[in-house]
Amino acid sequence: MAVDIPAGEIYAVAQAEAEVSAELHAWLMSSTMSVKSYPAELASVLGSLDGAARRVVEAIKYFLIRPDIFDNALGMAANFTWSDGEGEEKFVPIPPETSSSAMVTFSTGGAAAMQVGLDKGYRPLIGMRHLFRAMQESEPRFRWIDITIALELAIKEALIRKHPEIELLILEMPSPPLTKLYDKIMKHYLGEKSPYLAVIKTGMETRNKLLHRPDGVVITETQAADYLREAHKAINHVFSLLYPEWSVAKGMTSGFYTNTGKTT
């Protein structure tokens, strides 16, 4: 399975090679391919291509910091073609369905940089997903808790990706406090400690109070928004250490969520 991002366009190209049954081959070769008799085997192939294209939407959302893009924002395939490798490509009808879309046009350099990450299988951290959910949360109290969860998941997954041999320790042993994860442990395994330790410490302590003293802590919208911004920087910094050779990961350290809901 391969996904290509053409520069200057608003679509992605997903390609796959697959062995097909004699029945599917006969259907493809027929002159009256009908969606009414759409083969389940072909629907499975189309689903795989759809999944590959969703990787592009995922990359745009989390790597280019576009919280306005929903996870299911994927337009219908514009063209579905097949070829046996010996003849010209032939169009295949696509069953109609409703969809939403996310349109982003890349420059030549931007498309090439994003393509590198897709080809190498770079994926967003699960913590990034939780952080982007926090961006959509309107209640400061819940936003604060979600942000702290995002910080914990992000550093743990980054450590495991970088050093798979410590996965059992990370997942099974009692978890160290975030201050240790982002300090000595991060420096040892990722090469640097986090420059956002003070914010992470405050965030962790406040989260504990929110969980254990339900009525004793009040979080304002401004406080939650400031915490979200700094946590986003911290997670982006972790990601840049995970893939230091990738220009997109490096660029993420200069982009973050702001109080106004935009990126800078």
Side-chain angles (χ1 to χ4, degrees), residues 236 239-240 243-244 246-253:
N236 285 350
F239 196 79
S240 72
Y243 304 113
W246 190 29
S247 61
V248 173
K250 293 178 182 178
M252 288 170 61
T253 59

Side-chain angles (χ1 to χ4, degrees), residues 192-243:
E192 294 180 20
K193 66 179 182 180
S194 177
Y196 305 98
L197 279 172
V199 172
I200 292 170
K201 182 176 184 293
T202 299
M204 177 186 68
E205 293 173 345
T206 303
R207 188 274 304 269
N208 292 339
K209 291 178 182 178
L210 289 171
L211 293 178
H212 300 295
R213 304 177 189 174
D215 300 323
V217 180
V218 176
I219 303 296
T220 67
E221 291 186 8
T222 298
Q223 288 173 323
D226 289 344
Y227 181 36
L228 175 58
R229 183 186 65 247
E230 296 305 300
H232 196 179
K233 291 180 184 178
I235 291 175
N236 285 350
H237 175 242
V238 168
F239 196 79
S240 72
L241 297 178
L242 190 58
Y243 304 113

Side-chain angles (χ1 to χ4, degrees), residues 18-29 39-42 45:
E19 293 186 8
V20 300
S21 65
E23 292 78 9
L24 176 56
H25 185 262
W27 186 88
L28 290 169
M29 293 297 292
E41 183 180 350
L42 188 59
V45 174

Side-chain angles (χ1 to χ4, degrees), residues 129-234:
R129 297 179 182 274
H130 282 263
L131 190 75
F132 275 51
R133 285 197 175 193
M135 292 177 186
Q136 310 300 330
E137 175 59 59
S138 58
E139 171 57 47
R141 178 189 189 87
F142 299 138
R143 174 178 274 198
W144 195 283
I145 294 172
D146 287 343
I147 294 168
T148 311
I149 291 173
L151 282 166
E152 181 172 352
L153 291 175
I155 185 60
K156 286 183 175 180
E157 186 179 1
L159 291 170
I160 291 171
R161 284 195 193 182
K162 192 73 171 181
H163 298 278
E165 70 276 8
I166 67 172
E167 180 176 6
L168 186 63
L169 290 173
I170 294 293
L171 298 182
E172 298 297 335
M173 296 294 287
S175 179
L178 285 181
T179 45
K180 285 189 177 180
L181 285 170
Y182 277 89
D183 192 355
K184 294 179 180 179
I185 296 176
M186 180 172 162
K187 183 175 182 179
H188 180 78
Y189 287 105
L190 296 181
E192 294 180 20
K193 66 179 182 180
S194 177
Y196 305 98
L197 279 172
V199 172
I200 292 170
K201 182 176 184 293
T202 299
M204 177 186 68
E205 293 173 345
T206 303
R207 188 274 304 269
N208 292 339
K209 291 178 182 178
L210 289 171
L211 293 178
H212 300 295
R213 304 177 189 174
D215 300 323
V217 180
V218 176
I219 303 296
T220 67
E221 291 186 8
T222 298
Q223 288 173 323
D226 289 344
Y227 181 36
L228 175 58
R229 183 186 65 247
E230 296 305 300
H232 196 179
K233 291 180 184 178

Side-chain angles (χ1 to χ4, degrees), residues 60-160:
I60 292 170
K61 176 174 180 175
Y62 296 105
F63 298 151
L64 301 187
I65 312 174
R66 289 287 303 274
D68 56 306
I69 295 177
F70 292 99
D71 288 336
N72 64 347
L74 181 67
M76 291 186 298
N79 295 306
F80 188 21
T81 64
W82 79 280
S83 171
D84 59 9
E86 298 180 358
E88 62 179 345
E89 291 187 350
K90 300 178 181 179
F91 284 95
V92 180
I94 302 175
E97 61 180 47
T98 58
S99 68
S100 57
S101 61
M103 296 186 179
V104 176
T105 302
F106 288 95
S107 64
T108 300
M114 189 64 71
Q115 188 70 57
V116 169
L118 291 171
D119 292 343
K120 292 188 175 182
Y122 297 160
R123 303 294 295 271
L125 297 168
I126 294 297
M128 290 177 174
R129 297 179 182 274
H130 282 263
L131 190 75
F132 275 51
R133 285 197 175 193
M135 292 177 186
Q136 310 300 330
E137 175 59 59
S138 58
E139 171 57 47
R141 178 189 189 87
F142 299 138
R143 174 178 274 198
W144 195 283
I145 294 172
D146 287 343
I147 294 168
T148 311
I149 291 173
L151 282 166
E152 181 172 352
L153 291 175
I155 185 60
K156 286 183 175 180
E157 186 179 1
L159 291 170
I160 291 171

